[in-house]
Amino acid sequence: MDLDALERDLLGQVERTGDEAGLEALRVAALGKKGSVSELLKTLGTMTPDERRERGPLINGLRDRVQSAISQKREALAEAALDARLSAERIDVTLPLREAPEIRGRIHPISQVIEEITAIFADLGFSVAEGPDIETDELNFTALNFPEGHPAREMHDTFFLPPDHLGRRKLLRTHTSPVQVRTMRAKQPPIRVIMPGRTYRHDSDQTHTPMFHQVEGLVIDRSANIANLKWVLESFCRAFFEVEAVTMRFRPSFFPFTEPSAEVDIQCSRKGGELRFGEGTDWLEILGCGMVHPNVLRSGGLDPDQVQGFAFGMGIDRLAMLKYGMPDLRPFFEADVRWLEHYGFRPIDVPSLVGGLTG
Ligand code: 2NL
């Protein structure tokens, strides 16, 4: 074959190749073991010395030029690939950092407030007890000294489940008090527990949802008294609202399960729509409490002549709204991520008294 024609053909192909794989295929086809140029080189061995002297430099020259054309093309392709990558992968170092998943998540205000309350009462020597959301009539009402025919027992306030084959109706607990009865039956005094949890009542407006959260506390021993109750509640309010001192007002009230009973207000100021605790001349109701009724002690298997105790209950949702300035309760349970991003807490803000509760 005509050497000049072969060279033009090979160099033309190298020129037109657009990628490294095509170039490598060309190299094998020309310079590989059975390549067109290699085959030409092999013919040198069969020539006479004169022929070889004439053809040798021509064929070797062809091979060198093809080889160098391929190397140059390879470098050009690598450079073009790098340029393309550099312009495609340009990074903007001024962009904000994306938060890691464990930082991005938010703690629901209810969970946060339960953690805060638990930390405060843990410091006062209380442990946490829990019970089922679906309760018996006995534990939700009868054991708590609700008389037959009490209005709270009616369909109007309570969610009842369909009756079983004996006609017994279970219900969604209307308060966490059944857990207190369960605790009295399971443990011996001294008892110091709080029970946070979900509770249910037939109620719905800006500050009431059918499911809400309550925390109750129970202290029972031989001498637990109203002075102890006031000190516990005052310690709690100072820690929870993060103020040095808070004036509290105990108003006589009535609950079936306590005697005497009181509702507790804390001092606050409402200047310019801003609510502040531990100052001012306004009052805000935050909890109910009292000395455990002897009938309730008896339903808990305890002897009112041997032990006595106090109890208190408060709405967690309301405490969260007050402390963190949230005007409407309903979005608490609408699972709207935008609301949670605004009002939720960062997972590293774990409440502890050592850290000043909310840092
Ligand atoms: C309120 C008032 C209260 C209790 C709950 C209680 C439980 C037992 C015995 C005695 Cl087993 N008391 N709980 C006592 C007083 C008040 O809650 O306004 N809660 C939101």
Side-chain angles (χ1 to χ4, degrees):
M1 183 182 179
D2 180 357
L3 286 187
D4 285 341
L6 179 62
E7 182 167 343
R8 269 197 307 279
D9 180 40
L10 288 175
L11 294 183
Q13 287 191 52
V14 170
E15 181 64 37
R16 289 190 297 274
T17 308
D19 62 281
E20 295 194 41
L23 189 65
E24 176 61 12
L26 259 178
R27 189 193 63 80
V28 172
L31 306 171
K33 248 191 189 133
K34 295 217 156 78
S36 50
V37 177
S38 307
E39 293 294 335
L40 274 173
L41 282 165
K42 280 183 206 157
T43 62
L44 288 176
T46 64
M47 292 177 188
T48 64
D50 282 346
E51 276 178 321
R52 198 178 302 139
R53 209 172 296 124
E54 193 214 320
R55 302 277 289 169
L58 296 177
I59 298 176
N60 278 317
L62 166 65
R63 184 205 48 203
D64 291 347
R65 286 187 295 280
V66 170
Q67 217 156 34
S68 99
I70 289 176
S71 322
Q72 279 175 23
K73 185 72 181 186
R74 180 163 288 138
E75 273 175 37
L77 285 176
E79 214 165 291
L82 183 60
D83 281 348
R85 244 188 93 184
L86 283 175
S87 60
E89 293 180 7
R90 192 180 312 224
I91 52 167
D92 182 351
V93 293
T94 67
L95 284 175
L97 285 176
R98 194 179 304 160
E99 285 178 316
E102 68 272 23
I103 304 292
R104 261 192 72 106
R106 289 291 177 271
I107 305 292
H108 195 285
I110 300 285
S111 305
Q112 172 79 12
V113 166
I114 289 176
E115 289 296 318
E116 291 176 21
I117 293 171
T118 304
I120 295 166
F121 280 107
D123 190 52
L124 298 175
F126 287 69
S127 53
V128 174
E130 288 179 308
D133 290 13
I134 297 176
E135 273 292 5
T136 58
D137 216 289
E138 203 266 320
L139 280 167
N140 195 76
F141 292 126
T142 315
L144 290 158
N145 199 34
F146 280 79
E148 293 297 332
H150 188 282
R153 286 178 174 249
E154 279 168 28
M155 304 291 279
H156 187 71
D157 288 285
T158 308
F159 292 111
F160 287 97
L161 278 75
D164 66 10
H165 62 285
L166 294 173
R168 292 174 304 205
R169 296 177 307 179
K170 288 207 172 180
L171 49 80
L172 293 177
R173 65 182 184 189
T174 57
H175 42 199
T176 49
S177 315
V179 191
Q180 310 218 29
V181 180
R182 289 172 179 275
T183 303
M184 283 189 272
R185 290 179 182 177
K187 294 218 157 75
Q188 284 303 309
I191 292 172
R192 287 187 195 88
V193 281
I194 57 164
M195 20 252 134
R198 295 180 177 204
T199 47
Y200 305 82
R201 282 181 209 173
H202 198 285
D203 223 347
S204 190
D205 61 39
Q206 189 173 327
T207 54
H208 296 88
T209 48
M211 189 280 300
F212 58 104
H213 298 80
Q214 209 184 23
V215 59
E216 280 184 86
L218 178 70
V219 171
I220 293 178
D221 59 31
R222 292 186 62 83
S223 64
N225 55 51
I226 289 188
N228 305 149
L229 167 64
K230 290 181 81 169
W231 181 84
V232 164
L233 294 179
E234 194 177 315
S235 303
F236 167 74
C237 287
R238 290 216 316 259
F240 182 75
F241 292 108
E242 302 180 56
V243 289
E244 277 299 315
V246 55
T247 308
M248 303 174 75
R249 187 166 77 172
F250 285 68
R251 277 182 291 107
S253 184
F254 176 81
F255 303 110
F257 30 80
T258 45
E259 181 60 35
S261 306
E263 281 174 309
V264 178
D265 305 333
I266 58 169
Q267 169 200 24
C268 67
S269 81
R270 279 179 243 244
K271 275 197 254 50
E274 197 195 350
L275 186 60
R276 284 166 178 272
F277 302 102
E279 58 175 67
T281 52
D282 278 343
W283 297 100
L284 190 76
E285 183 185 330
I286 55 155
L287 58 89
C289 62
M291 297 302 295
V292 179
H293 195 291
N295 287 347
V296 177
L297 289 173
R298 274 188 282 268
S299 7
L302 301 173
D303 179 354
D305 292 327
Q306 296 298 317
V307 292
Q308 58 188 23
F310 59 82
F312 51 87
M314 49 200 155
I316 293 174
D317 319 73
R318 190 171 139 75
L319 285 180
M321 290 169 74
L322 288 171
K323 180 166 179 180
Y324 294 110
M326 295 174 271
D328 191 347
L329 181 60
R330 288 167 297 193
F332 274 64
F333 311 118
E334 281 168 3
D336 184 334
V337 176
R338 294 165 303 175
W339 183 86
L340 197 55
E341 267 173 8
H342 184 80
Y343 285 111
F345 292 81
R346 290 168 175 265
I348 49 173
D349 298 339
V350 178
S352 84
L353 293 178
V354 180
L357 204 60
T358 51

